[in-house]
Amino acid sequence: MKLPNIVLLGTGGTIASTANSATALTDYEVTQGVEALLDAVPEIAALANIRCHQLFNVESHAITTKMLLKLARRINDELADPYVDGVVVTHGTDTLEETAYFLNLTVKSDKPVVIVGAMRPGSALSADGPLNLYNAVLLAGKTQAAGHGVLVMLNDQIASARFISKCSTTQVDAFRAYDQGYIGQVHSGRVHIFQTPALRHTTRTDFNMAGVKSLPRVDVIYDHQNAGVHFYEASIKAGANGIVIAATGNGSLSPQVRKGVKLALKNKLVCVIASRVGSGIVSASDAEGQTGLISSGSLNPQKARILLMLALHQSSDREKIQACFDQY
Ligand code: ASP
């Protein structure tokens, strides 16, 4: 049987980390390259022909927009090669959903792209990385994984990059898509896909990052009781082009944040209201529409930031940006 040709790109994270004892589950460092991760799972050789490349080797909270652009370019170059059937990216779980959503909007191919991480370092008892990596390569080599946008593979669950979010700081079952669910499962070496995301992704987006070197600056500001305007002032001063507000409930803004947002709008920043709640939809009320705010819909603040950077790269027109939030 002809094996699929998969490119494995390493970026670091817990999956590439080791601690100094098998029972240390939180105190560890990135120590391993992607080739070492592959060597640790010889069973993968029976699934695919693999070509590895270490793009960077960092914890995912150190990932920058420049690195995202580099990763998207590399994946697009690899997938343009007719020899390559799919790409797997190893990544830290802390910001995995941001990278996965960025790629979901900027990869220009229907071939499978699977992002994989682990919650336990490679040195841990019951490390989850090896099986997650095995499942990710299995998934990336299947034609049934094509055309669903970027996929996230952890803990035997297949998720859409659009909907998945890290919801536990330490549990192995850390990722959830509360409202939309998983799109499938891998079980005993078999891929089961149950549904496909209806929102626009990959080849169906208007975002083309070829030749793009930087993106507009977008900050996320959290709302809470007794909030102040100072973060808005600082953001304006730092030259941000947009702000995502992690608002309370269904996008409600505290009195001081209303002032901060007004100031930001006056300074021509684009403001998106997302919710700090973690699930549900932020509906754009008439009042918000009139004051020029944008609703993130079902995107959480960190993903709304990714979309706002891409949208602002194309236009600062409020209606066009709201249309991006409605479609992507
Ligand atoms: N600190 C890690 C990271 O790089 C966490 C993880 O990968 O699980 O995001």
Side-chain angles (χ1 to χ4, degrees):
M1 197 185 68
K2 188 182 160 302
L3 294 180
N5 302 313
I6 302 297
V7 173
L8 178 60
L9 299 174
T11 75
T14 297
I15 194 168
S17 296
T18 47
N20 50 22
S21 90
T23 51
L25 299 183
T26 51
D27 227 354
Y28 48 78
E29 273 173 29
V30 175
T31 53
Q32 297 195 291
V34 68
E35 293 212 15
L37 302 187
L38 193 59
D39 290 348
V41 195
E43 294 80 3
I44 289 178
L47 296 178
N49 305 312
I50 308 264
R51 181 152 49 80
C52 283
H53 184 79
Q54 191 77 50
L55 218 50
F56 10 89
N57 214 10
V58 297
E59 303 224 52
S60 69
H61 32 264
I63 301 242
T64 62
T65 305
K66 270 202 166 52
M67 290 156 106
L68 288 184
L69 288 165
K70 185 173 173 183
L71 179 60
R73 263 198 304 277
R74 178 68 187 236
I75 293 173
N76 281 322
D77 289 350
E78 296 289 0
L79 294 178
D81 179 347
Y83 174 82
V84 174
D85 295 305
V87 169
V88 172
V89 180
T90 57
H91 199 288
T93 61
D94 286 349
T95 68
L96 187 147
E97 66 204 70
E98 291 164 63
T99 297
Y101 185 49
F102 183 82
L103 297 175
N104 196 52
L105 296 170
T106 57
V107 165
K108 295 288 125 195
S109 170
D110 280 331
K111 292 178 188 175
V113 175
V114 181
I115 318 293
V116 62
M119 289 300 291
R120 292 179 180 152
S123 49
L125 284 177
S126 297
D128 51 333
L131 184 57
N132 287 350
L133 185 60
Y134 180 90
N135 286 341
V137 172
L138 177 79
L139 180 61
K142 299 287 182 201
T143 46
Q144 71 194 108
H148 305 292
V150 170
L151 300 174
V152 173
M153 181 75 239
L154 272 102
N155 203 38
D156 301 347
Q157 314 275 18
I158 305 166
S160 158
R162 168 61 175 77
F163 300 116
I164 201 72
S165 185
K166 187 173 184 179
C167 294
S168 167
T169 54
T170 56
Q171 285 167 358
V172 173
D173 188 14
F175 282 77
R176 288 273 191 284
Y178 281 120
D179 294 328
Q180 301 85 6
Y182 295 105
I183 74 162
Q185 279 179 16
V186 175
H187 178 65
S188 290
R190 292 192 66 168
V191 171
H192 303 263
I193 292 186
F194 309 126
Q195 53 175 327
T196 194
L199 296 174
R200 290 171 66 186
H201 56 73
T202 55
T203 50
R204 279 148 273 168
T205 77
D206 296 325
F207 304 121
N208 191 335
M209 292 295 105
V212 176
K213 299 263 178 324
S214 64
L215 289 171
R217 176 169 190 89
V218 174
D219 292 330
V220 177
I221 305 182
Y222 215 83
D223 197 3
H224 49 84
Q225 294 179 347
N226 206 38
V229 288
H230 51 288
F231 286 123
Y232 293 83
E233 290 161 355
S235 187
I236 294 163
K237 201 163 158 213
N241 302 91
I243 295 175
V244 174
I245 302 120
T248 63
N250 171 31
S252 318
L253 302 181
S254 64
Q256 287 301 92
V257 167
R258 283 193 178 275
K259 281 191 193 153
V261 165
K262 222 171 168 181
L263 194 65
L265 293 176
K266 203 169 136 204
N267 281 273
K268 305 252 173 312
L269 276 75
V270 172
C271 293
V272 171
I273 305 185
S275 174
R276 63 182 205 176
V277 168
S279 67
I281 290 170
V282 171
S283 39
S285 74
D286 289 346
E288 283 155 10
Q290 278 161 31
T291 51
L293 299 180
I294 290 162
S295 155
S296 78
S298 62
L299 277 180
N300 66 22
Q302 56 272 32
K303 287 188 185 178
R305 178 183 157 273
I306 295 288
L307 180 55
L308 184 54
M309 288 195 304
L310 290 167
L312 277 169
H313 176 65
Q314 293 189 325
S315 167
S316 49
D317 179 81
R318 199 197 78 84
E319 298 212 336
K320 286 194 181 135
I321 297 176
Q322 183 65 67
C324 288
F325 278 85
D326 296 342
Q327 296 173 64
Y328 298 128

